[in-house]
Amino acid sequence: MASTAGLQTSHGHWFNTTLTSSQSHLGFRSSFPRPPAGDFLERSPPRCRRRCSHAVAAAIVVEKLGQGRSVGPSLPVPRRSRDGFLARRGRQQPAAAPCGSAVEGAGAAAPGTRASTRWSSERMRDHAGNGDSCSFVETGFCIRLQWSCDQYAVELQRTVPNATDRFANTLTSLPKPGGGEYGKFYSIPALNDPKIDKLPYCIRILLESAVRNYDNFQVTESDVQNIIDWEKTSPKLAEIPFKPARLVLMDNTGGPAVVDLAAIRDVIAELDSDPKKINPLVPVDLVIDHSVRVDVAKCADALKQNMDLEFSRNKERFSFFKWASSAFNNMLVLPPGSGILHQVNLEYLSRVVFKADGVLYPDSVVGTDSHTTMINSLGVAGWGVGGIEAMAAMLGQPMSMVLPGVVGFKLTGKLQDGVTTTDLALTLTQMLRKHGVVGKFIEFFYGEGVGSIPLPARATIANMTPEYGATMGFFPVDQVALDYLRLIGRSDETVSMIEAYLRANKMFVDCNELQTGPVYSSDLELDLTTVEPSVAGPKRPHDRVPLKEMKSDWHTCLGNEVGFKVKPWVKTSLAPGSLVVTKYLEHSGLQEYLNHQGFHLVGYGCTTCIGNSGDLDKSLSDAIVDNDVVVVVAVLSGNRNYEGRVHPLTRANYLASPPLVVAYALAGTVDIDFENEPIGIGKDGKEVYFKDVWPTNEEIEQVIKSNVLPKMFVDTYDSITEGNDAWNKLVVPKETLYPWDPKSTYIHKPAYLENITMTPPGPPSVKDAYCLLSLGDSITTDHISPSGVIKPGTPAAKYLLERGVKPENFTTYGSRRANDEIVVRGAFANIRIVNKLLEGEVGPKTVHVPTGEKHYVFDAAMKYKSEGHDMVILAGDEYGAGSSRDSAAKGPLLLGVKAVIAKGFERIHRSNLVGMGIIPLRFKAGEDADSLNLSGHERFTIDLPRKITEIRPGQDVIVTTKNGKSFTCTLCINTQVELEYFNHGGILPYLIRKLA
């Protein structure tokens, strides 16, 4: 089948785009220069021409669609005349389609026919400044015309006649109390299926999205039915599409996505298409929160000094982000100092219920940070994705996902005094890890204990979702959530609308009403009274340690001085999640006492848990380096404590509640039993114990109630987009295409978006590949693509030195991820990575197998590439755990890695590998590299068909080695959509070919 859409004018100007049969399901959008003044539209043979200045037509040729009826009297189907102009029976002209409306066909068009419509110059003039559009639906397709002062754009979308009518009866009015309506909504109770009442609340959100976005192409009736039949289809791993309502990005992982977006504009222009059509199609919010570093601490002006340093180091990045905020539609960038993405999302960006074009629907979000799940605490469906997958969603591509199982978690009782939210979160993390919840949703719905957990505590639990391995940790909206919305300044009318909508669509939990309860895939239960004070570590967030068992034989060379003040060797810092936190810490008077202990405000952003903790005191660093037996400990109230992440010199890292962080700082060591040993000596000379200073839960609740006030939220977020002096002084380019600076070491046009043609490359071949690294279990994205400081002597450092960057300005791998040259040199650069090829040596090096020489991983990979060799990676279980970091897939691709053969993959990282065209293979159950006696010195050939039509998701793949070994793996490409990406060499080339 071939389809053509375009514009035609009186001078015979016919601008069109033709879709081949292989492309016709994708749709396209093309832009055209505005016809010159006085030119007119050709709608019929010459004798019927009508002069119409600045008017334009859109037409479509539909061939080989089968038999059918014409599209009806409102838009008769013209026939093609011999001279190629549009002609139709008789001389009567069809009426122009009104702006913003759709003229729909009544049936299928006959093969070889055209349909067209026109927009008058008056109508276009009236609406040109508003970006309005007109559209009509021809059988099988929808054409939409948009115009501006200098160009037209035609968009063709594959559809079916009256597709949306299938669920039109579910579009219902939501009345306001006292008259009027809040808007319309797609009612899932109107589907009249009793199975809906048994669906978990989080699955009901997926169902509503499918009904609302149904078009019988991207979202089909079978997709809707699969979700309704969740109890049966989820165990069968049914695939469904999902369109999130919005996206959130942070600078370290979202920044590269925006660089990709800018580079895609370049590629589109190189393919002779209009780059201006590359814009996010859903709201995108980028929060710059990963750039601040704790260079200065323990002083009153630490915030200012750190922010000044942040801007001096990141001026190139910040200028690029500011350019993007104006160059792209639908993109909001919140400048540095605005807060941490997840808390800003919770307090400001969240809608809970969207209202667009008069239609209400649940808020949903995906983000380029795995802790996007924090928003689940407010009843918003959301999870982390890689930047590659986010890019696809940004450009309108539905996310393909396997319908997840849902674990129901019953909570009873109430937390005891002295037990914090962090203690509860660490306990749940340990339980859920043990249960096995990878790829599943968790729903905290039932039991009287749920109502006793305030929303900030729920946010802590939801934030830890990646640590317990699930996709979501979901709390349906209840009265606690509504009270929180009022606290953060949402109007009574907005909260009433949210409650009315969720109740009407059976998405609200009312503890005062009898709950029959959904059915879950499995159930867990926790009595909150059994939760005890805990920490987690020293290397993984799910390794919980009861506080009473924390004391161990930690000994340092720093002595055992005791005093009731933070010890001088302890580096302390406070980096809140939002500006509101500072307001209520100051209002309560607590900040003054934190300052006395050295916990001065150092910045608003992710610092310690992403490796931006800054340097330690030089004398301390020297002592650690000179005495390798010293084990230095970090205690943080973050969510990530993987080895080497907090600081290269802290070999043990424990997660703890904020009060416990302060307590350990006072003690100066973790070698303490808080129950039986004093924290220090008070002013009166008496010993002070942990229990003497720990408040009751009632005291804490009273302080919160008195000091966390709605006005603080309103005042903060009323001015959040205004930026600061340093941000506002940034001068940025105004071009549609970003002017890449070849001297920039922060922003670089990525190599993986060079030399893209319109022909998909097909599946890659892997023959006689060498093993670049042989890795064990729990290799995180921090190991694969570290965020921390760039150390002198490394390939990344050499690259920067060659370009005139001084060592003190190397900054971090994370801050330079928008430069693919740093990404490739930073791949597997973690100083704590253990590569079996090195036989016990720890660090970012490997063995070049043919010569036996040791090199940095980057240097070895470049040597293999120069020799023309393919490369693979061997790995254990949980490969790619941790942050949703697409650089952990981009880096290996740029190194030349063709496949990763692992015992198991983390969900997001597996998706990212597919998204970059890398083959993910999983060893069969009970097998791994060790059991198969794979030393890593073999040469591997992967027997994967070269035609995508011969590959199916999850199929068996045989891997052979040159020395005669053979084993079978599972291809970890899960869906047909992923196969399509794979055929194109990844998501980004797929999107480019779709949009060009």
Side-chain angles (χ1 to χ4, degrees):
M1 181 183 68
S3 306
T4 303
L7 311 181
Q8 189 171 19
T9 71
S10 63
H11 290 176
H13 299 154
W14 173 248
F15 307 96
N16 68 9
T17 300
T18 300
L19 278 72
T20 66
S21 59
S22 63
Q23 298 171 308
S24 58
H25 67 289
L26 303 179
F28 77 92
R29 179 178 167 85
S30 292
S31 297
F32 311 90
R34 191 167 189 138
D39 201 356
F40 58 87
L41 175 69
E42 189 69 61
R43 289 194 45 83
S44 59
R47 64 180 182 276
C48 297
R49 291 178 181 174
R50 295 180 58 190
R51 195 166 187 82
C52 183
S53 178
H54 293 308
V56 71
I60 180 173
V61 181
V62 183
E63 299 183 16
K64 299 182 180 178
L65 286 183
Q67 302 300 317
R69 297 177 287 126
S70 69
V71 297
S74 61
L75 186 62
V77 180
R79 294 184 182 276
R80 187 186 302 188
S81 66
R82 289 175 298 174
D83 58 6
F85 290 121
L86 298 178
R88 55 177 300 277
R89 300 182 186 93
R91 297 186 180 182
Q92 178 186 2
Q93 295 293 325
C99 252
S101 69
V103 182
E104 296 191 3
T113 63
R114 289 191 182 195
S116 65
T117 192
R118 71 178 179 86
W119 293 265
S120 70
S121 57
E122 292 80 8
R123 175 70 71 178
M124 294 171 70
R125 183 176 62 247
D126 291 343
H127 290 269
N130 300 324
D132 205 349
S133 62
C134 295
S135 65
F136 71 90
V137 176
E138 155 64 346
T139 303
F141 295 87
C142 171
I143 299 178
R144 180 173 294 273
L145 176 69
Q146 294 178 310
W147 56 82
S148 65
C149 61
D150 58 355
Q151 71 169 3
Y152 299 112
V154 171
E155 184 174 16
L156 172 66
Q157 288 292 329
R158 186 76 162 87
T159 182
V160 295
N162 304 316
T164 56
D165 288 348
R166 172 64 184 82
F167 296 108
N169 63 317
T170 67
L171 190 61
T172 308
S173 174
L174 183 66
K176 282 185 178 181
E181 69 172 19
Y182 289 115
K184 300 287 193 300
F185 73 101
Y186 287 89
S187 169
I188 59 175
L191 295 171
N192 295 319
D193 194 312
K195 293 190 287 293
I196 293 174
D197 290 335
K198 296 183 179 181
L199 291 178
Y201 288 85
C202 52
I203 299 299
R204 298 178 195 186
I205 293 176
L206 301 184
L207 175 60
E208 187 280 340
S209 175
V211 170
R212 176 167 40 88
N213 290 297
Y214 168 82
D215 61 1
N216 209 30
F217 173 63
Q218 290 185 331
V219 183
T220 67
E221 187 171 354
S222 65
D223 295 323
V224 174
Q225 195 58 49
N226 276 338
I227 301 174
I228 293 175
D229 293 335
W230 166 84
E231 195 174 353
K232 294 180 179 178
T233 55
S234 174
K236 297 177 182 178
L237 304 179
E239 175 191 352
I240 62 165
F242 177 67
K243 287 192 171 184
R246 58 188 178 93
L247 282 87
V248 292
L249 316 175
M250 58 86 160
D251 50 313
N252 271 14
T253 54
V258 182
V259 167
D260 287 346
L261 199 64
I264 287 175
R265 276 192 171 179
D266 284 4
V267 179
I268 293 294
E270 291 164 4
L271 294 173
D272 296 325
S273 192
D274 180 16
K276 289 184 178 180
K277 62 188 174 185
I278 303 300
N279 284 292
L281 299 180
V282 296
V284 175
D285 302 304
L286 187 151
V287 179
I288 302 174
D289 68 351
H290 276 57
S291 301
V292 64
R293 184 179 168 194
V294 189
D295 292 289
V296 182
K298 292 189 173 183
C299 63
D301 66 341
L303 173 64
K304 182 181 185 305
Q305 290 191 60
N306 287 327
M307 285 195 68
D308 288 345
L309 288 168
E310 179 184 10
F311 266 88
S312 67
R313 291 184 182 122
N314 293 276
K315 185 176 180 181
E316 289 179 48
R317 297 174 71 233
F318 294 169
S319 295
F320 173 75
F321 292 140
K322 191 172 181 181
W323 168 83
S325 68
S326 59
F328 294 107
N329 299 331
N330 239 355
M331 182 178 290
L332 170 69
V333 176
L334 294 184
S338 299
I340 295 176
L341 167 63
H342 311 305
Q343 192 153 345
V344 174
N345 190 21
L346 188 71
E347 297 174 352
Y348 176 59
L349 299 174
S350 61
R351 279 77 157 179
V352 184
V353 172
F354 258 89
K355 183 175 182 179
D357 298 325
V359 177
L360 304 169
Y361 52 95
D363 188 3
S364 59
V365 60
V366 294
T368 60
D369 189 292
S370 50
H371 296 99
T372 301
T373 52
M374 185 167 169
I375 200 64
N376 299 162
S377 60
L378 198 54
V380 175
W383 54 85
V385 297
I388 310 160
E389 201 171 359
M391 175 69 67
M394 214 183 288
L395 295 177
Q397 185 71 11
M399 297 174 55
S400 178
M401 60 183 291
V402 172
L403 196 57
V406 182
V407 178
F409 212 123
K410 182 178 182 179
L411 300 175
T412 61
K414 193 173 183 180
L415 294 177
Q416 299 184 68
D417 284 346
V419 177
T420 68
T421 300
T422 303
D423 302 325
L424 171 58
L426 296 179
T427 301
L428 291 170
T429 297
Q430 186 182 47
M431 291 180 65
L432 288 163
R433 271 284 178 181
K434 184 177 179 180
H435 186 72
V437 295
V438 173
K440 294 182 172 62
F441 290 176
I442 314 299
E443 189 162 284
F444 300 94
F445 154 63
Y446 59 111
E448 74 277 9
V450 175
S452 71
I453 301 177
L455 198 127
R458 297 179 181 188
T460 303
I461 295 167
N463 183 274
M464 290 290 285
T465 300
E467 282 63 52
Y468 44 80
T471 302
M472 279 210 303
F474 187 76
F475 289 83
V477 176
D478 60 2
Q479 191 59 47
V480 173
L482 298 182
D483 292 343
Y484 179 78
L485 289 171
R486 292 188 175 93
L487 172 66
I488 62 176
R490 303 297 167 89
S491 68
D492 288 340
E493 181 174 355
T494 297
V495 176
S496 297
M497 179 269 289
I498 290 171
E499 181 178 3
Y501 169 80
L502 295 173
R503 284 184 180 276
N505 232 4
K506 293 192 175 182
M507 296 179 184
F508 186 83
V509 173
D510 192 332
C511 61
N512 296 318
E513 297 178 0
L514 180 64
Q515 300 286 342
T516 56
V519 173
Y520 294 108
S521 307
S522 60
D523 294 88
L524 288 172
E525 182 174 347
L526 175 65
D527 180 355
L528 297 178
T529 63
T530 65
V531 178
E532 57 184 334
S534 305
V535 297
K539 296 181 180 180
R540 299 187 302 183
H542 53 276
D543 293 335
R544 187 179 69 87
V545 181
L547 189 61
K548 62 187 178 184
E549 300 174 13
M550 179 59 184
K551 182 176 181 180
S552 60
D553 56 348
W554 297 106
H555 296 286
T556 73
C557 61
L558 301 176
N560 295 316
E561 179 187 355
V562 176
F564 204 60
K565 215 179 169 185
V566 169
K567 302 301 180 288
W569 59 80
V570 179
K571 182 172 184 177
T572 52
S573 62
L574 171 66
S578 82
L579 281 70
V580 179
V581 176
T582 299
K583 284 184 166 66
Y584 57 67
L585 287 178
E586 291 176 345
H587 189 270
S588 65
L590 181 58
Q591 186 63 59
E592 178 183 354
Y593 292 98
L594 288 170
N595 290 344
H596 288 328
Q597 300 301 336
F599 286 94
H600 293 83
L601 176 63
V602 297
Y604 297 97
C606 293
T607 55
T608 305
C609 70
I610 66 154
N612 284 354
S613 53
D615 294 332
L616 298 176
D617 183 87
K618 188 176 185 305
S619 61
L620 178 57
S621 298
D622 291 344
I624 298 168
V625 173
D626 294 341
N627 188 355
D628 193 48
V629 299
V630 174
V631 178
V632 180
V633 183
V635 183
L636 60 149
S637 63
N639 45 38
R640 287 283 161 86
N641 61 339
Y642 297 120
E643 190 174 17
R645 180 172 177 128
V646 172
H647 191 283
L649 297 178
T650 58
R651 290 167 59 185
N653 307 278
Y654 286 92
L655 304 182
S657 64
L660 272 180
V661 172
V662 176
Y664 276 115
L666 292 169
T669 180
V670 295
D671 184 20
I672 183 172
D673 179 353
F674 280 131
E675 286 192 2
N676 300 305
E677 298 179 50
I679 300 174
I681 306 298
K683 291 181 179 180
D684 57 3
K686 294 182 179 180
E687 294 180 336
V688 178
Y689 287 83
F690 187 79
K691 61 184 178 182
D692 298 328
V693 296
W694 199 272
T696 65
N697 289 355
E698 184 178 351
E699 289 172 326
I700 295 171
E701 290 171 6
Q702 185 56 47
V703 171
I704 292 173
K705 186 176 181 181
S706 302
N707 294 282
V708 183
L709 308 173
K711 189 176 187 301
M712 296 176 177
F713 294 90
V714 173
D715 290 348
T716 296
Y717 290 112
D718 274 350
S719 59
I720 194 70
T721 59
E722 294 177 4
N724 50 57
D725 288 343
W727 176 264
N728 294 334
K729 289 177 181 177
L730 289 175
V731 178
V732 300
K734 297 182 179 179
E735 291 93 334
T736 298
L737 298 179
Y738 184 70
W740 308 96
D741 180 359
K743 296 180 181 179
S744 174
T745 57
Y746 275 104
I747 307 295
H748 187 262
K749 187 177 179 180
Y752 48 79
L753 289 178
E754 298 283 358
N755 303 317
I756 292 179
T757 67
M758 291 302 293
T759 304
S765 64
V766 183
K767 183 175 177 58
D768 293 335
Y770 282 103
C771 176
L772 182 62
L773 299 102
S774 179
L775 306 168
D777 294 341
S778 300
I779 294 297
T780 70
T781 51
D782 279 317
H783 290 113
I784 306 168
S785 181
S787 291
V789 295
I790 298 173
K791 293 178 67 67
T794 60
K798 293 175 183 176
Y799 169 85
L800 294 172
L801 282 174
E802 289 170 358
R803 284 151 184 80
V805 180
K806 296 178 180 179
E808 59 266 28
N809 294 324
F810 283 174
T811 64
T812 64
Y813 288 104
S815 65
R816 292 185 181 272
R817 284 202 189 110
N819 182 344
D820 60 304
E821 296 285 0
I822 295 294
V823 170
V824 66
R825 287 165 174 80
F828 302 100
N830 189 300
I831 64 170
R832 300 292 181 189
I833 194 168
V834 178
N835 178 7
K836 296 177 183 179
L837 294 179
L838 295 176
E839 298 180 349
E841 183 180 335
V842 177
K845 293 188 177 182
T846 192
V847 173
H848 179 254
V849 173
T851 63
E853 299 170 348
K854 291 182 182 179
H855 297 281
Y856 279 106
V857 173
F858 169 78
D859 295 329
M862 295 304 103
K863 191 172 179 65
Y864 280 130
K865 287 182 78 171
S866 68
E867 296 165 346
H869 298 309
D870 291 340
M871 288 165 276
V872 300
I873 290 171
L874 299 178
D877 202 9
E878 294 183 320
Y879 181 78
S883 301
S884 55
R885 191 170 297 167
D886 61 348
S887 59
K890 290 175 176 176
L893 174 76
L894 292 166
L895 288 175
V897 172
K898 292 290 190 69
V900 178
I901 309 172
K903 190 175 181 179
F905 294 93
E906 190 274 341
R907 174 185 64 86
I908 298 175
H909 186 63
R910 182 210 61 81
S911 174
N912 280 338
L913 291 174
V914 176
M916 292 308 297
I918 295 176
I919 305 169
L921 296 178
R922 187 178 66 246
F923 289 110
K924 288 296 183 179
E927 295 183 347
D928 57 20
D930 291 337
S931 69
L932 294 170
N933 296 315
L934 299 175
S935 67
H937 290 264
E938 300 87 353
R939 300 187 70 175
F940 299 85
T941 296
I942 298 173
D943 184 17
L944 190 68
R946 295 304 309 280
K947 292 183 178 180
I948 198 68
T949 54
E950 297 175 3
I951 303 175
R952 67 182 187 280
Q955 76 174 54
D956 285 347
V957 174
I958 296 174
V959 181
T960 57
T961 67
K962 206 165 185 179
N963 60 358
K965 294 181 180 178
S966 177
F967 55 95
T968 302
C969 292
T970 300
L971 177 66
C972 292
I973 295 179
N974 292 347
T975 67
Q976 290 292 338
V977 172
E978 286 189 341
L979 273 181
E980 187 73 10
Y981 296 157
F982 186 63
N983 185 52
H984 281 258
I987 291 179
L988 301 183
Y990 167 84
L991 289 171
I992 288 169
R993 294 183 181 106
K994 172 182 175 180
L995 296 168

